[in-house]
Structures are given as C-alpha cells and as structure tokens.
Amino acid sequence: MHSATLDEVFQEPGCAKNQAKNATERKKGCTKALKPGAAAGGCAFDGAKIALQPVTDVVHLVHGPIACEGNSWDNRHAASSGPMLYRTGFTTDMGELDVIYGAEKRLFRAIAEAIAKYDPPAVFVYQTCIPALIGDDLEAVCKAATAKHGRPVIPIDAPGFAGSKNLGNKLAGEALLRYVIGTEEPEITTPYDLNLIGEYNLSGELWQVKPLFEAAGIRIAACISGDARYRDIASCHRSRANMLVCSKAMVNIARKMQERYGMPYFEGSFYGIGDMSDTLRQSAQLLVSQGAPDDLLERTAAVIQKEEQRAWARLEPYREHLAGKRVLLITGGVKSWSVVAALQEMGMVVIGTSVKKSTEEDKARILEIMGEQAHMFEELSPREMDRMLRDAQADIMLSGGRSQFVALKAKVPWLDINQERHHAYAGYDGMVNLVAQIHHTLSNPIWQQVREPAPWESSAKPAAEG
Amino acid sequence: MAHVVNARKQCTVNPLKMSQPLGGALAFLGIENSMPLFHGSQGCTAFGMVLLVRHFRESIPLQTTAMNEATTILGGYENLEEAILTIHKKNTPALIGICSTGLTETKGDDGAGYMKLIRQRHPELADTALVYASTPDYKGCFQDGYAAACSAIIETMVPQGPGARRERLLNLLPGCHLTPGDVEAIKETAALFGCEMTALPDLSGSLDGHVADHFTPTSLGGTTQEAIAQLGAAQHTIAIGEHMRGPAELLQQRCGVPCTVLPRLTGLLPCDAFVALLAELSGKEVPQSLRRERSRLVDAMLDGHFFFGGQRIAIAAEPDLLIALGHFMAEMGATLHAAVTTSDAPGLAGLPMDQVLVGDLADFEQHAAGADLLVTHAHGRQAAQRLGVPLFRVGIPIFDRLGAAHAVHVGYRGTMTLLFALANMLLESHDTNAHRHGHPAPVQDTDNHARENLATC
C-alpha cells in the first residue's frame, strides 16, 4: 500500500468533509478508527470492487484467498447493455503454500489464463490483505503482465485492511487516474460530451436517466463505472465536463481531471424530481460554459418542463394514499435530502433521517427541507430503531438491507433504497417507481393480518378493532 | 468408484467454494444467544454477513475485530480483547464464537494463547462462553470451518469425563449441508421414538425465520448452554455427513458417548438405516406414522423413477452435499454426468461415476454441457442460462429464491419432497423442449420408455 497515495486520498481537497476541516485536522486523514466488536460496513477492497466491477468488458481478478471473491461475487445488480464478463468471478484462490512461498507467480499465471480464455481489453487486479501482508508486489506483476500480453493489466491497490469501503472507492479512483484515464483517444467527440462519475447502473438506473440527457442533446460519453466499457473510461478525458453523482465516492477523479485536463465538474443527484431537473440544468450550463452552443439550454428546459409535468401527473394519484404517512429514512449521504424532498412532495412526513455519511452541507440542506423538527440520527442502533418502530412512530421505514429485518420483525412496512434493491429509483420515472413501491408496500393487506394476534392468544386487543 | 481430480489451474473462475470462517459462523449461529466474531479485517465480516442475510433473509449477528494493516503486523491481541469486551458490554451474549481468518492466521496470531490471557485478565467475562476456532480462509472450505467450530465448542464447553448416562437422550451433529428445516425434521423423527435430541448446532431454533417478540442483537435461538454441557451425558451421538465425524469422535473421546456417522440422510436406504438405529437405541417399535411415510416414499419412487431414468445430472456442491445428492440421483436411475466439489474429502471416491473434480463453476459449466439438469447453489444461475439447462438450487447461498431455510431433503418425507421437486423440473424441461421443437423430444435411448412417456404426457 503506497502511503503517499493514502495521504493524497485522505487530504482530497474536493471532499466536502475535508473542506470543513482545518489544516491539522485534514492531515490526520479520515480513517476513523473502527471499533473492534462494534464495526459495520465493508472494507477498502469491497469499496474498490463496488466502484469498478460495473466496468463490463474487463476481467476483474481478485488476488487473495477464497473469502474475498468466493463469499462476495455476483452480489450486486449493476446492469450491462452488452458484455457480461464483469459478472464472472476471477480469483487466485490462494492456498497455504501460496501464503508461505508468495503468490506472485500464481498471479502472473492466473492473469495469463484469464486473458487466454476470455480475451478482455484489460484486466483489473485487486489486491487483498494476505498478499499485501506477505509482500506480493502487485504492481510489478501487473507491469510484467502488461508487457507480456500487450494490454493493460491494472493493479487496484486497496487491500481490505487499508480502511473502509469509502476509502476503497477513492483508491479505485486513483487507479483509474494513474493507469486508465487518458490512455486512449475517443473515436468521436462532440461539444455535448459529459461523463458521469460514481453512477453504477444498479438495477439499470443509468438507463433511466441517460435518455433524459439524450433528449436534451447531451451525450454521456463515459460513465464511471455503470455499464462502462474499458475504452470509454480510457478516453473520457476528452469530454467537456464531469458530473459527480455520489459525491462521497470518487470526488478525487473529478477534481484531478479538472486539474489535469481543465474539465469542470459539478455534483448532482438523480434522486427526486427537483434534483433531477437541477442536474440536467447544471449539466447544460456547464457544457455551454465550455463552448457548447447556447440552444442546449432551451432544449434542456423543454425536456425538464415536459418530464416534470409528466412525472407530477403520474404521481398525483398516489398523493391521497400517502399524504400524512410517517417515514423513517435510514440511508447515507446525498440520498437523504434528495429523497426527503421527494417524499414531502407527496405529503409524507419524514420523522427522522440518518446523517451518518452526510456532509455538513447535506445536514444543512436537510434542516432547511425538514425544518426544526427534523430528527437527524448520527447512529441509530438496531435496538433503538426497533423501539421506534414498535412504538408505531413510523408507518414505513426506508433503508438498506442491513436493517431490513429490524423493520419486518417489528411488522412495519419497509422498502430497500440501497444498492441491493431490485427497483430503479433514479430520474423522473425512478421517483414514480419509488412512490409506487411505497404505496404498494403500505397498502398491502398483510400488515393487518400479521399484526393481529392468533385467536387463542386472548391478548388485550378488543375484537372490534379488526 | 470415482477418482478425485484437482482442476490444475492458477485462476479460479466463478467460485463454487466459500471460506472456512463463514462455515464457522454458521455453526455459532446455531447456539442460543451467541455472537460470532471474525478475527480479521472488517470486510471479512461484511461479505460473510451479506451472504448469509441474503440466503436466510434474516438478521445475522456477526462482528469483526476490525484489524487494519498496523494492528495485523503488531499482532491482534488488543483488537480481539477490545472486540470481546465491547460485544459483552453491548450485547451480553451467552457465547462469543471467534473464527480466525486468513489475515490473522498468516500473521500467526496465537488464538488459544490470547483466549487464556483474556480469561485471566477479565473475570467479568466469567459467564460468557468464549470459543475460538482456527479457520484460515486459505485452507479447506465452508464445511471444514463449520466442523472446526463444532469441535471447538465441544472442546471448550463440554466437561471432560463420562457424564451420568441418560437413556433416550441423543445428540445430533448435523452437517452444514442440512437446513434448519432438515434439523427440525430429524429431531421430530427422534421424538417419535420417545427420544430427546440435542442438536449441535441447532439452526432450527435460530435461523428458521420466525418472528420473535423482542429485538435481540444476538442469535434468536439454538442450542442452549445447558444442553451443550449435557452432550456428554447422551446415550448416543448421531452425526450426519462425513465432515461431522471429527466433532462426533471428539465427543466420544472426551465423554465416552458412542457415535454413528451417517454419511447422508437423503434416500430410502439411508433413511432406513437412521430409523433402524433409532429403533435400536430406543428399544421401541418403528411407529405406524413412519411406516406410512416410508411407504409413501416407496410409492413416490415408483411414480418418479420414469423421469430420472437415463437423465444426466450435473452437480456442484460441497463434498457432503454432493455425496448425499449424487447417491440419491444415481439410486433413482439418473446418470451422474459431472460432479464438481470444493475440496477432496472422505466419501467422494464412493460416488458412482468416473471422476469428481475439485474445481469451480467454470469447470462445472464446461463439464455440465449436455446435462439435463444442473444442481448447485444460486451462483450456478449464469451457467444454467448459458447452457440453457434448468437449475435446481441447493446448499448455500440461495439468494434468488425464497424458503431456502425451510427446504427439507432428509428423512422419508424430505426425500419424497426432493424427489417430486426434481422430477417436476425434469418433466417441465421436457415439456418445454417438446413444445419448442413442435414434436416430441428426441429419444436417444430407444429402450427408455420413460422418455417416450414424458414426451406424450
């Protein structure tokens, strides 16, 4: 693990959390020491893999024992419009002898096997804890393999014990900056070329927003890394601007591309109607400021008007069902306030939201939207969550899979809004999907049945209630 | 007789195997009020937890010592100690089940020594069982880690020496290829003979998907501490699956409880052996209800054999699951077309085929070409799609179907259920093929009337 890279990532000036710190605080870095016995969340390797796995046409080879890939492969719903190679799990599956003698040779041969069999345009090799600990030189092996096979073999140096998932996102970004971005030239360029950074096309979300950009006349030249081809990313430095989708994940890519290629970037969100419109508007403005013809602004405004109108019309029927329902929203970062706004538009009352991953700016925004009564939880323990739900403080909880069963066991409706979900919530259609799903869940007749005690359990509940 | 052959390659493609600590965690999850703890980096726990959550559709208590680069190099004692104290304070579990990982084993952390030291330094943990299992990721597979955890529980928690023997108290050591539903079915069968059966671990109490009255951050049920302490007093131990031989024999050594290892409990003959054993141990007649169940299975075999005869089945599974299903398929008249497993293990050589491959799902996909049915975990879905062959999901993980915990494939009734499910799948794919081609499915094996029957039904 290169400590220089780590320092750089920790002191990322583009990071909103860092901006709020003074120089000495920044120097300390952002590895929050994890508490043994009370830690949750993925490791740096996990984060790197999440960020890059959606690149569809390369071999993603994990150098480590079986745990790292065997326990985790093919477990997200990043979708592809073409190559399916990214869903194939590759690992060196290190054994005891590899641990004792080192596994560089094994890795070198594994790369050769994968290339011989699958002929990918590139191989991404992920470092994990054990080879990092025993000193396997990932970079040297990748360099030798690149020379031998005449195609890029790229080291992703983010072993799990380096830190959190978020750090892994950033280290993956560093690897792209160092080895991929700017190494090829695009076939065509237009003044309307925009890159998306930090959009993974989970459940096909990219495909819900891409047509919106296209309708306005904006070309998504590359997406890092949803539904991406290696070549798109290698040549994405010729686009005119970057949009940073999930601000926490790969801000380093956007900022360094600005430094290197003079490409401006903005942070935006696809969640919520207002946010989606802002994003389209900002994209157009940024492209125009980079020399795209002015009429882009008008076209964009027209798309926004049409789509917003259409979305509101589709949402209207749900309002009477959802108005007044109380929501507990447990999610990270930027999604909090974007979703809050959308739910409020439906007349729902957000009784609390988590702000664990949110920046100060996010929090200010939540306060602005939700007002003084906003409950912001830094850390809501499952026990506390359970108590809130059983006290019927919320009609529905929206969260990630981790807390799914806290809600369901308390017999409270729940909806997945994190990465494992099966429905796409991005864009105008996505918000309609989300609201429709909330309605389906809330209006499901099972809630009444499962909450009733069995007939022989003569609890205090009067029969009249049913 | 089968030769067990290693796929000699450097790059594993589409892993079939999962690692030892995860198997260890599953065993600990079958103990009441327990918290499994991985001594490794936080990712080890996160991946394992996600996998088990998606399979069982339940909260999975699983913690981490959160090792980082520096603490790994310096040794993990402090992290382990802090993790145990934190878990004790926050969650007060009856048992903390520690699984080492590849990371801490590579460093060479002395788990046993650490546990002694923690015990000495922290008398406040006196009421908490601390069990340490060595489960490096770079060795063995899921079922080995599971067995290692079971042995560690016995070693740590069952008092040495013969207990006061209790008649009709039986121990069950169910292999990790058995579901919570399987374990429950076995216990119910024992109850028919008036036997009380303690399962170690007992997933039927913890991961059977019930709704508890209160939130609990630890396992929702399972083998109790008291029951574990009593394992040495049992009349007999029945272990299911060759990988449970180690724990069964350990219990025999420590406490003198005789044991029988049944390699499998799927299929008529293995069920007969099990029921006969229960009759012998209990001194009771086989009850009418069980005779009736047996008769139903026999009838199901008569009805179902048409659809298995000559069918080519490809199976990829951990050794003992492969053994159970492979023999059953062969006994129903199917041909074992390909078999892939995760490590060489006793019993594999007995499978009625030429070769068992220790390999991955890419090997499986290659060898399974031409099969009528694929049998493996949910990760086989890509191979099934590419080959255009139906997939019957077994083992862990099954993340794209509901009810994995409740599938029962042991005992007369479970075997019957399995038989019907498989036969229906074979039947359906034949129907589909027949319709797709607009004429009856081609019959390669002309003296096989079953196929002709299929095409017309």
Side-chain angles (χ1 to χ4, degrees):
Chain A
M1 189 76 250
H2 288 274
S3 57
T5 312
L6 266 183
D7 285 350
E8 224 178 294
V9 168
F10 283 153
Q11 292 177 41
E12 173 55 54
C15 169
K17 284 225 167 184
N18 264 341
Q19 286 161 8
K21 293 179 185 170
N22 62 35
T24 36
E25 272 183 332
R26 258 207 294 280
K27 260 206 170 137
K28 279 190 206 150
C30 47
T31 41
K32 255 185 258 159
L34 293 158
K35 191 165 173 53
C43 60
F45 157 69
D46 191 8
K49 194 87 184 306
I50 287 168
L52 298 180
Q53 181 100 48
V55 180
T56 56
D57 57 350
V58 308
V59 161
H60 298 273
L61 170 60
V62 177
H63 183 39
I66 194 64
C68 309
E69 181 71 351
N71 294 356
S72 75
W73 70 286
D74 198 16
N75 71 352
R76 286 165 69 94
H77 304 284
S80 167
S81 59
M84 297 305 282
L85 188 55
Y86 74 118
R87 283 188 61 200
T88 301
F90 295 89
T91 174
T92 48
D93 187 4
M94 288 171 69
E96 194 165 24
L97 291 179
D98 296 314
V99 175
I100 296 168
Y101 296 110
E104 291 175 355
K105 286 202 176 108
R106 185 186 187 94
L107 173 59
F108 189 72
R109 292 192 199 113
I111 294 167
E113 277 180 20
I115 289 176
K117 199 159 173 210
Y118 296 91
D119 191 27
V123 180
F124 287 181
V125 184
Y126 298 81
Q127 180 73 307
T128 63
C129 298
I130 292 183
L133 184 65
I134 63 174
D136 278 1
D137 190 339
L138 192 71
E139 215 168 306
V141 174
C142 288
K143 204 168 160 192
T146 302
K148 179 164 183 216
H149 301 289
R151 70 188 87 194
V153 177
I154 292 151
I156 314 292
D157 193 9
F161 63 15
S164 68
K165 193 151 89 177
N166 183 258
L167 175 67
N169 291 157
K170 292 197 167 61
L171 291 173
E174 288 301 311
L176 292 183
L177 285 162
R178 189 171 303 161
Y179 298 103
V180 184
I181 294 169
T183 57
E184 291 188 31
E185 289 301 324
E187 271 164 33
I188 49 159
T189 59
T190 76
Y192 306 104
D193 291 356
L194 178 75
N195 299 329
L196 305 183
I197 298 173
E199 162 57 44
Y200 305 127
N201 197 28
L202 299 176
S203 305
E205 291 204 318
L206 173 64
W207 302 330
Q208 262 174 213
V209 296
K210 210 172 171 183
L212 299 170
F213 285 101
E214 282 165 358
I218 296 169
R219 192 173 82 105
I220 305 298
C223 178
I224 298 175
S225 56
D227 196 23
R229 313 294 181 269
Y230 179 77
R231 205 191 145 76
D232 302 341
I233 298 181
S235 61
C236 73
H237 60 300
R238 297 297 181 207
S239 294
R240 296 301 174 94
N242 280 327
M243 175 197 166
L244 191 54
V245 178
C246 183
S247 65
K248 297 272 287 176
M250 293 199 282
V251 61
N252 51 339
I253 297 187
R255 197 193 48 79
K256 285 194 177 164
M257 283 182 80
Q258 183 172 40
E259 209 171 270
R260 246 193 235 173
Y261 309 107
M263 270 169 85
Y265 72 92
F266 75 98
E267 291 178 30
S269 161
F270 298 141
Y271 298 106
I273 290 172
D275 285 0
M276 185 64 228
S277 298
D278 282 346
T279 291
L280 288 173
R281 218 172 280 124
Q282 273 186 281
S283 304
Q285 279 162 359
L286 205 54
L287 287 170
V288 167
S289 78
Q290 292 300 100
D294 273 357
D295 58 349
L296 179 60
L297 298 174
E298 272 163 52
R299 284 204 306 274
T300 306
V303 170
I304 290 171
Q305 198 198 355
K306 185 181 137 220
E307 292 291 338
E308 282 198 352
Q309 217 165 21
R310 188 171 156 265
W312 285 121
R314 293 179 65 200
L315 284 172
E316 195 48 44
Y318 296 106
R319 192 189 298 272
E320 61 171 313
H321 301 291
L322 298 183
K325 298 285 186 202
R326 294 155 305 163
V327 186
L328 183 58
L329 182 65
I330 308 293
T331 179
V334 81
K335 268 175 287 180
S336 293
W337 48 258
S338 345
V339 175
V340 167
L343 299 179
Q344 285 183 332
E345 282 161 357
M346 283 295 98
M348 300 184 80
V349 183
V350 179
I351 59 161
T353 185
S354 63
V355 288
K356 195 175 163 200
K357 293 183 187 170
S358 305
T359 59
E360 287 308 316
E361 202 185 334
D362 288 335
K363 287 182 201 167
R365 187 98 188 246
I366 292 169
L367 207 61
E368 187 186 311
I369 297 170
M370 291 175 43
E372 288 301 325
Q373 86 282 15
H375 284 284
M376 286 193 259
F377 305 103
E378 270 299 335
E379 190 83 70
L380 191 59
S381 75
R383 203 188 288 273
E384 180 63 12
M385 211 183 276
D386 179 67
R387 194 192 56 74
M388 288 185 69
L389 294 171
R390 284 187 203 260
D391 290 356
Q393 292 179 21
D395 295 308
I396 186 169
M397 181 163 98
L398 310 184
S399 73
R402 196 180 289 278
S403 42
Q404 168 176 2
F405 301 102
V406 179
L408 294 183
K409 299 280 183 192
K411 299 171 184 170
V412 170
W414 171 86
L415 203 62
D416 194 350
I417 53 165
N418 269 13
Q419 64 272 12
E420 289 98 5
R421 67 177 182 268
H422 292 268
H423 299 279
Y425 297 142
Y428 302 105
D429 287 350
M431 206 34 63
V432 178
N433 280 351
L434 174 65
V435 168
Q437 288 300 327
I438 291 176
H439 172 57
H440 291 323
T441 304
L442 270 173
S443 63
N444 195 302
I446 69 149
W447 300 115
Q448 175 132 26
Q449 287 193 29
V450 301
R451 285 170 185 161
E452 280 299 308
W456 52 89
E457 281 168 3
S458 54
S459 72
K461 275 204 173 181
E465 203 178 293
Chain B
M1 286 293 284
H3 290 288
V4 181
V5 179
N6 253 299
R8 294 202 170 277
K9 51 185 197 178
Q10 306 294 314
C11 187
T12 291
V13 181
N14 293 342
L16 171 67
K17 187 168 62 172
M18 294 172 303
S19 70
Q20 278 208 72
L22 196 53
L26 184 66
F28 287 128
L29 287 168
I31 310 299
E32 189 185 55
N33 192 14
S34 82
M35 175 67 86
L37 169 67
F38 284 178
H39 184 33
S41 110
Q42 64 166 335
C44 306
T45 291
F47 285 139
M49 185 194 286
V50 168
L51 186 137
L52 293 176
V53 166
R54 292 178 78 207
H55 176 82
F56 286 106
R57 295 176 194 261
E58 290 293 321
S59 286
I60 299 292
L62 187 57
Q63 259 304 333
T64 173
T65 58
M67 298 294 287
N68 61 36
E69 198 164 1
T71 53
T72 302
I73 291 163
L74 298 171
Y77 175 80
E78 276 84 10
N79 281 51
L80 191 56
E81 182 184 45
E82 191 185 341
I84 289 172
L85 294 177
T86 304
I87 293 169
H88 172 70
K89 203 170 129 205
K90 278 183 73 165
N91 310 123
T92 54
L95 177 146
I96 301 176
I98 300 125
C99 298
S100 68
T101 63
L103 182 64
T104 48
E105 292 277 351
T106 299
K107 167 61 178 61
D109 275 4
D110 170 18
Y114 289 179
M115 300 319 290
K116 266 193 202 139
L117 202 54
I118 290 170
R119 276 268 177 247
Q120 274 170 21
R121 288 192 184 172
H122 299 286
E124 73 268 29
L125 295 172
D127 292 336
T128 310
L130 302 177
V131 178
Y132 183 94
S134 169
T135 50
D137 297 289
Y138 51 73
K139 250 165 79 173
C141 58
F142 189 85
Q143 72 173 34
D144 299 318
Y146 178 90
C150 292
S151 291
I153 292 168
I154 293 168
E155 189 93 53
T156 318
M157 298 174 68
V158 181
Q160 195 142 18
R165 217 36 85 231
R166 268 182 58 196
E167 292 301 309
R168 293 194 190 145
L169 174 65
L170 302 180
N171 297 329
L172 172 68
L173 300 177
C176 61
H177 55 309
L178 302 191
T179 64
D182 286 333
V183 173
E184 184 167 76
I186 296 170
K187 284 166 62 180
E188 281 171 3
T189 306
L192 293 175
F193 290 89
C195 294
E196 190 188 327
M197 194 174 234
T198 304
L200 177 79
D202 191 350
L203 294 174
S204 75
S206 58
L207 285 173
D208 63 329
H210 63 284
V211 180
D213 290 338
H214 300 287
F215 173 79
T216 147
T218 55
S219 61
L220 291 179
T223 325
T224 60
Q225 297 249 40
E226 298 72 42
I228 294 173
Q230 286 293 305
L231 287 172
Q235 179 191 351
H236 201 89
T237 298
I238 301 174
I240 315 288
E242 202 45 59
H243 68 286
M244 296 309 281
R245 181 178 293 278
E249 289 182 351
L250 178 65
L251 199 55
Q252 185 166 21
Q253 275 168 25
R254 285 180 74 84
C255 314
V257 183
C259 66
T260 304
V261 180
L262 300 174
R264 61 187 169 114
L265 210 46
T266 300
L268 182 64
L269 301 181
C271 291
D272 283 348
F274 172 62
V275 170
L277 178 63
L278 287 178
E280 184 199 319
L281 292 171
S282 66
K284 285 193 171 181
E285 288 276 305
V286 176
Q288 209 50 45
S289 60
L290 261 185
R291 291 169 195 245
R292 188 72 172 215
E293 278 190 18
R294 184 182 192 281
S295 175
R296 289 184 195 131
L297 173 57
V298 169
D299 190 57
M301 290 168 75
L302 292 169
D303 290 343
H305 80 282
F306 296 110
F307 312 111
F308 286 86
Q311 294 294 296
R312 290 151 301 185
I313 313 288
I315 311 177
E318 291 251 308
D320 280 330
L321 183 56
L322 171 61
I323 287 167
L325 294 171
H327 279 290
F328 174 64
M329 301 283 187
E331 286 164 359
M332 284 305 299
T335 305
L336 295 183
H337 183 70
V340 179
T341 192
T342 52
S343 71
D344 195 356
L348 288 171
L351 283 166
M353 61 193 309
D354 294 334
Q355 176 190 295
V356 173
L357 192 66
V358 177
D360 53 39
L361 287 175
D363 299 320
F364 180 62
E365 190 170 338
Q366 191 191 336
H367 288 83
D372 297 296
L373 183 69
L374 307 186
V375 179
T376 185
H377 55 50
H379 282 304
R381 61 189 176 161
Q382 290 190 51
Q385 215 168 39
R386 282 188 286 260
L387 293 173
V389 177
L391 169 66
F392 187 75
R393 289 161 174 80
V394 295
I396 298 177
I398 298 177
F399 46 73
D400 55 355
R401 291 291 183 274
L402 295 183
H406 302 288
V408 179
H409 295 159
V410 300
Y412 295 127
R413 197 188 304 193
T415 304
M416 185 181 76
T417 314
L418 174 66
L419 188 159
F420 288 152
L422 289 166
N424 286 339
M425 218 161 184
L426 291 166
L427 207 64
E428 187 181 359
S429 82
H430 266 268
D431 275 356
T432 319
N433 286 338
H435 290 135
R436 192 184 300 146
H437 298 305
H439 55 77
V443 179
Q444 288 154 349
D445 201 354
T446 43
D447 60 4
N448 186 342
H449 296 286
R451 289 202 174 201
E452 284 163 10
N453 286 346
L454 264 176
T456 51
C457 61

